[in-house]
Amino acid sequence: MAAPKLGVIHYNWPGYDGLEPFLARAREIGYRYCELWASDIWDEALLGQGDPDQGALEAAAETVTQQLERHDIQVATVSAQNDFIQDDADVMGAQLVRYRNLCRAVPLLGTDLLRSDGGWNREGKVPRERWDGMLVEAFLRAVEFADEFDVRIALDNHGDATNDGDWQLSLIERVGSPRLGVNLDTMNYRWFGHDLATIERYYRILAPHTFHTHLKDGRNPRPDYQGAALGEGEIDLATAVRCLKEAGYEGAWTAEYEGPEAVGGVGYEKCFAWMAKNV
C-alpha cells in the first residue's frame, strides 16, 4: 500500500515571506505535497489574456517547479481563486477566460487538479435565488475547458454559495462530467452552520466524488467559530478519513490550520503529527 500523500496549504500559513521559506519549513516538518494559489505562480494579467503567451506560462511554472524540487515537495492542486457569482456579463466572461487559461496552465506544475470556489457575491448584487443557475452554467463551461486540457475540478465547500453537501452532489449530477468532483473540507460545513450529524452524512455521500481534501478541525459555527489543530476540535475526522478510504480516495490529505498557534508553523506541526498517525 502506498504511503498517504500528506500535504499542506500555502496561503493559510502566516509568517513566511514568500514561497521558498514556506516550502523549506513545510518539508522540515515532513510534508511532501502542497496546495498553491494560482497567484503564487502566474501573474493575473497573464491569466486574463484571451490568448496567453504559452512561453510565459511555462516560464512562471518552471520557476516554481525549481523551488518545489529543491525542497522535494510536489503540488497536489492549484487553487483557482475564481468567482462565478457575477452580476456583470463582461466580468463573468473574464472569469471564464481566466479559468480556461488556468486549465491550460495547471498541468505545467505536474498536477491535473484545479481546486475551485463557486462564488462570493462580494458586493451583494446577485440575489441568492440566482446562484444555483449561475453556478450550473459556469461549471458546464468549466468542464469543457477541463476536457480540452485534461484536468479535473475539485469544487470546495467554501463560503456561502457551495457549503451544502446535498447541493454539491446535485451540481455534480446535473453537470454530468467525471471531470467535476469536490474538495472535501472537513470543517467548512460546521463553520457554515450544519450540525455534526449532517456533516458526517455529507462525508459519506461525497466521498466517492472527492478529488482533494482539506483536513481541518475546530469548534462551533460562525460567528463563534474557533480553529484548532487536527484532533483538537469537535469534527469527527476519523469518520471523514474512513469514508474517503472506503471510497478509494487516492489524493492528497491536505492540512489547513486556522487555530491560535500559527506562528512558526506550530499548528501545522500538530496537524502533521495527527495525519501521520491517523491517515
Side-chain angles (χ1 to χ4, degrees):
M1 180 181 298
K5 302 173 182 177
L6 303 186
V8 67
I9 288 173
H10 172 222
Y11 51 83
N12 207 18
W13 189 320
Y16 290 84
D17 184 15
L19 183 58
E20 189 102 35
F22 154 76
L23 291 171
R25 182 69 175 106
R27 189 67 190 91
E28 180 183 54
I29 292 172
Y31 291 107
R32 298 292 300 275
Y33 292 83
C34 69
E35 175 180 333
L36 301 180
W37 259 344
S39 58
D40 290 326
I41 309 154
W42 296 287
D43 184 86
E44 283 297 312
L46 178 63
L47 292 176
Q49 295 176 9
D51 186 19
D53 184 311
Q54 183 67 20
L57 291 175
E58 292 173 357
E62 179 59 24
T63 296
V64 172
T65 296
Q66 290 176 5
Q67 293 177 293
L68 291 160
E69 290 176 348
R70 280 195 291 272
H71 299 284
D72 193 23
I73 291 181
Q74 298 179 50
V75 172
T77 186
V78 174
S79 173
Q81 303 170 268
N82 62 293
D83 188 347
F84 287 155
I85 296 180
Q86 301 290 347
D87 192 50
D88 186 298
D90 290 337
V91 175
M92 177 63 90
Q95 282 284 318
L96 291 169
V97 166
R98 179 182 177 278
Y99 201 90
R100 181 177 181 272
N101 289 337
L102 279 170
C103 287
R104 177 201 301 267
V106 160
L108 299 172
L109 271 295
T111 182
D112 71 339
L113 192 57
L114 188 61
R115 186 187 68 80
S116 299
D117 292 318
W120 297 94
N121 197 32
R122 294 190 187 278
E123 297 180 4
K125 294 181 178 180
V126 184
R128 181 176 288 272
E129 58 267 23
R130 291 183 56 198
W131 294 3
D132 177 77
M134 193 170 283
L135 291 174
V136 171
E137 182 178 353
F139 281 101
L140 283 168
R141 292 291 309 280
V143 297
E144 293 177 3
F145 308 148
D147 280 334
E148 183 178 0
F149 297 107
D150 195 21
V151 302
R152 296 174 299 147
I153 298 166
L155 174 64
D156 202 350
N157 50 303
H158 202 182
D160 289 348
T162 62
N163 227 319
D164 182 298
D166 292 315
W167 181 87
Q168 285 177 287
L169 182 58
S170 170
L171 177 72
I172 290 168
E173 292 172 344
R174 284 180 287 167
V175 171
S177 169
R179 302 280 183 183
L180 178 62
V182 299
N183 175 75
L184 188 66
D185 186 302
T186 55
M187 181 68 212
N188 277 353
Y189 296 121
R190 182 62 173 152
W191 168 89
F192 185 72
H194 298 291
D195 61 57
L196 295 175
T198 298
I199 293 167
E200 291 173 22
R201 182 174 64 82
Y202 288 165
Y203 297 159
R204 290 193 294 273
I205 65 173
L206 292 175
H209 304 280
T210 298
F211 292 162
H212 191 250
T213 63
H214 286 172
L215 289 180
K216 183 163 60 178
D217 207 348
R219 295 184 180 278
N220 308 320
R222 56 183 175 171
D224 300 317
Y225 165 63
Q226 295 177 327
L230 297 178
E232 296 184 2
E234 65 181 343
I235 299 302
D236 188 351
L237 295 168
T239 292
V241 171
R242 183 176 66 253
C243 289
L244 289 164
K245 286 187 172 182
E246 289 176 352
Y249 178 71
E250 297 180 345
W253 305 84
T254 301
E256 182 175 8
Y257 176 74
E258 295 179 340
E261 298 178 284
V263 176
V266 173
Y268 278 112
E269 287 182 348
K270 291 185 173 183
C271 290
F272 182 85
W274 186 92
M275 291 196 297
K277 182 178 179 180
N278 293 284
V279 171

